[in-house]
Amino acid sequence: MGTQLICDPNELRELFLFEKLNDEQLAWLCRDGRVEHFEPGPVFREGDPATCFYVLMDGEVVLTKMSGGEEIELVRTSHHGSYAGAWTAYMGDKVDQNYSGSFYVTRPSKFFVLDAGTFARMVQEWFPMALHLLEGVFFGNRNSQEILGQRERLLALGSLSAGLTHELNNPAAAAVRATSSLRERVGGMRHKLKMMARGKFDSKTLEAMVQLQEEAAAQVAKAPALTSLEAADREDELGDWLEEHGVANGWDLAPNFVQAGFDVDWLEKVHGTLNECSDGVFEGAIRWLNYTVETELLMNEIADSTTRISSLVNAAKQYSQMDRAPFQVVDIHELLDSTLVMLGRKIGDDIEVVKEYDRSLPPLPCYAAELNQVWTNLIDNAIAAMHASGTLTVRTRRENDCAAVEICDTGPGVPPEIRNRIFEPFFTTKPVGEGTGLGLDISFRIVVRKHGGDIRVESEPGNTRFIVRLPLTPPSGAEADSSENAAAQPNTGGA
């Protein structure tokens, strides 16, 4: 507590908060309030019970707030009339009555001080209509945020569900097509085998044919990756060879052999094995081996499709945190990867995704499902900023006792004049009907208020970075319901 001084009503009248009060009201303030002198140091601490309302009369103050384990300076001012402290005391127990930040004096300063109860009584008695309006704005905005926040989450969920359905449909349809084709190829193989059994094959030749079939099946699994030009050249080469050796429509068979990794040397080996057979039998054998190659390729396609479906389902479970506790310790990269998978369709083919992960990061204690909502909002905004074309970079690293996550885009950037407003509720740069302005507000509340972290933006044309810092230690009250974390931001009265 500071040194108490004499209160002069005329001096109070010079402060913008009190300039419209009459003599009787100013006298009441001096009688029920006090003027105090403070030396440099703390006036009150964040989280302590809000017992007083402070108005700066002379000096300089700093208002700070804890974020990610660090004390962040929010306001530094010497503006006379700036206020802080128990400024919501007039709302009583309807809101949290603890100091929402810490307040420091940087040089000898003078304040007008009202006890919280006295300040509340003053507002209630002198400005009853204004009190109703303030309560209406405060609680109306909070209710609107909750309602629109729920709607935005539902809209995001609907969009993600549509994208997931589309992503699942592609591999499912591919598996169905491959299964149908596989049935035809197996039928063709049985037919060719029947025809070959009627040919002039001795047991040694048949044994060699079966060995070639085994080699063909094994080769498919280790086929080398070829460029389009390399594949085209090899198809031409194999097509010419097949035509020269009497295999009709050899050009239709060549792509399968090339895809499986075969070349002319392998075909020469087959021809050498069957050189004593008639040309018709040789052609039948080649087509039989082609069926073997095709069945292996189709089974690979089915395996890839079903693996893709399984991966998408696992990503959806990871994203939604289905059947998992709200608060848990997780690998943050799994959360980021699942979100990228869920947004895969929206990201599209014209956005390059670059991952720069620091795999040495320890597991993060967090509300995983809610952090996924943060990543969704930030990545979705990045996609919109780039107009679906550019580079999306997702970067992680360790900063002291925090995990830092950057979502970067190559869009035009956030203009300086709106940079300090983007986290405000209902503020949006999107056209009417396309955004509610709550995505970044929700992200701010999840990161800062629920996890004790920090979220900031650094932007210039071609390089916009949203940086999220999350403590690597569990947030206080992690197991408790945090639905009350909608307390008002610190107010410095125009400072």
Side-chain angles (χ1 to χ4, degrees):
M1 186 171 181
T3 303
Q4 192 161 333
L5 306 173
I6 296 175
C7 181
D8 181 358
N10 291 323
E11 192 175 11
L12 293 185
R13 195 190 303 276
E14 296 176 0
L15 303 175
F16 69 85
L17 276 180
F18 306 137
E19 62 185 357
K20 300 298 183 182
L21 299 183
N22 58 39
D23 293 340
E24 182 181 351
Q25 290 171 322
L26 291 170
W28 186 94
L29 286 177
C30 275
R31 184 181 67 249
D32 286 29
R34 59 189 182 274
V35 175
E36 291 187 30
H37 174 86
F38 284 83
E39 290 296 325
V43 178
F44 57 75
R45 297 283 188 181
E46 180 179 350
D48 290 343
T51 58
C52 293
F53 175 72
Y54 297 87
V55 183
L56 181 64
M57 300 177 70
D58 185 43
E60 184 182 64
V61 296
V62 173
L63 185 67
T64 69
K65 192 168 179 65
M66 294 299 294
S67 177
E70 298 182 19
E71 196 167 15
I72 306 300
E73 182 177 317
L74 301 179
V75 176
R76 180 183 293 263
T77 183
S78 57
H79 181 61
H80 294 177
S82 298
Y83 58 90
W87 68 276
T88 58
Y90 52 80
M91 294 188 188
D93 58 5
K94 297 177 184 177
V95 299
D96 178 31
Q97 293 298 341
N98 292 323
Y99 291 122
S100 56
S102 297
F103 199 52
Y104 297 90
V105 170
T106 60
R107 64 172 187 256
S109 302
K110 184 168 67 172
F111 294 89
F112 176 72
V113 184
L114 283 175
D115 291 335
T118 304
F119 175 64
R121 188 170 72 253
M122 180 197 77
V123 175
Q124 292 163 358
E125 292 179 4
W126 293 0
F127 312 108
M129 181 176 177
L131 177 60
H132 291 308
L133 291 173
L134 285 170
E135 288 184 341
V137 170
F138 184 85
F139 294 110
N141 278 345
R142 190 160 75 177
N143 292 337
S144 297
Q145 287 182 44
E146 291 176 356
I147 294 170
L148 290 177
Q150 291 173 357
R151 181 178 182 274
E152 181 146 309
R153 285 191 286 270
L154 288 173
L155 289 174
L157 180 61
S159 176
L160 289 172
S161 297
L164 180 61
T165 301
H166 177 82
E167 293 290 339
L168 285 170
N169 182 67
N170 285 341
V176 170
R177 289 193 303 268
T179 302
S180 177
S181 298
L182 181 61
R183 183 174 288 109
E184 293 178 5
R185 299 307 184 272
V186 171
M189 183 181 291
R190 289 196 301 266
H191 178 68
K192 287 296 179 186
L193 186 60
K194 182 179 178 180
M195 292 178 63
M196 290 176 65
R198 294 173 180 170
K200 299 178 180 179
F201 288 97
D202 55 29
S203 59
K204 184 178 180 180
T205 303
L206 282 173
E207 184 179 352
M209 281 296 302
V210 172
Q211 180 62 35
L212 288 170
Q213 184 185 35
E214 293 295 331
E215 291 179 10
Q219 176 61 31
V220 173
K222 54 185 179 182
L226 301 176
T227 66
S228 299
L229 183 59
E230 289 172 338
D233 290 342
R234 188 171 291 188
E235 286 174 15
D236 290 342
E237 186 179 6
L238 264 63
D240 290 340
W241 189 94
L242 290 170
E243 290 288 342
E244 292 171 1
H245 289 75
V247 179
N249 300 319
W251 295 100
D252 295 332
L253 306 181
N256 289 331
F257 287 130
V258 171
Q259 188 177 353
F262 297 121
D263 54 19
V264 169
D265 290 341
W266 184 81
L267 292 179
E268 290 285 2
K269 179 180 178 181
V270 175
H271 186 263
T273 302
L274 303 175
N275 59 6
E276 296 180 359
C277 302
S278 64
D279 290 340
V281 172
F282 172 71
E283 180 178 358
I286 286 293
R287 294 190 183 278
W288 178 57
L289 290 173
N290 178 63
Y291 281 131
T292 299
V293 170
E294 281 192 303
T295 56
E296 289 297 321
L297 292 173
L298 288 168
M299 285 191 288
N300 285 347
E301 185 176 347
I302 293 171
D304 290 343
S305 298
T306 53
T307 299
R308 174 64 176 163
I309 292 171
S310 178
S311 298
L312 286 167
V313 172
N314 287 335
K317 289 180 66 177
Q318 173 69 37
Y319 180 84
S320 66
Q321 296 295 300
M322 185 171 57
D323 300 329
R324 302 185 185 186
F327 184 82
Q328 54 188 295
V329 179
V330 299
D331 182 348
I332 197 170
H333 304 111
E334 292 182 359
L335 304 184
L336 292 166
D337 285 341
S338 67
T339 304
L340 289 169
V341 170
M342 294 295 289
L343 291 171
R345 185 187 181 196
K346 182 171 284 190
I347 292 173
D349 297 329
D350 294 329
I351 291 181
E352 179 186 4
V353 178
V354 176
K355 300 178 185 179
E356 297 179 3
Y357 290 169
D358 178 1
R359 294 292 184 179
S360 67
L361 271 178
L364 178 75
C366 65
Y367 295 90
E370 297 192 40
L371 279 187
N372 280 338
Q373 188 177 355
V374 174
W375 314 141
T376 299
N377 291 336
L378 296 181
I379 293 172
D380 186 64
N381 284 349
I383 295 169
M386 292 186 288
H387 302 291
S389 178
T391 300
L392 173 70
T393 303
V394 182
R395 183 180 297 118
T396 64
R397 65 177 182 275
R398 181 166 185 163
E399 289 188 4
N400 299 320
D401 293 328
C402 292
V405 178
E406 292 188 12
I407 307 297
C408 316
D409 68 70
T410 54
V414 181
E417 60 270 19
I418 67 170
R419 203 168 295 166
N420 61 346
R421 298 192 59 198
I422 58 176
F423 292 105
E424 292 180 9
F426 310 111
F427 179 79
T428 180
T429 58
K430 295 178 181 178
V432 176
E434 291 188 17
T436 62
L438 286 178
L440 289 178
D441 173 61
I442 290 171
S443 299
F444 178 90
R445 285 188 279 126
I446 291 172
V447 171
V448 177
R449 298 180 184 173
K450 193 152 190 175
H451 289 85
D454 178 44
I455 179 170
R456 297 186 180 188
V457 62
E458 297 178 1
S459 184
E460 60 185 12
N463 182 23
T464 296
R465 301 185 297 146
F466 278 86
I467 307 167
V468 176
R469 295 178 177 87
L470 298 161
L472 290 169
T473 53
S476 58
E479 302 300 331
D481 178 17
S482 60
S483 60
E484 299 177 359
N485 283 335
Q489 293 280 5
N491 195 319
T492 56

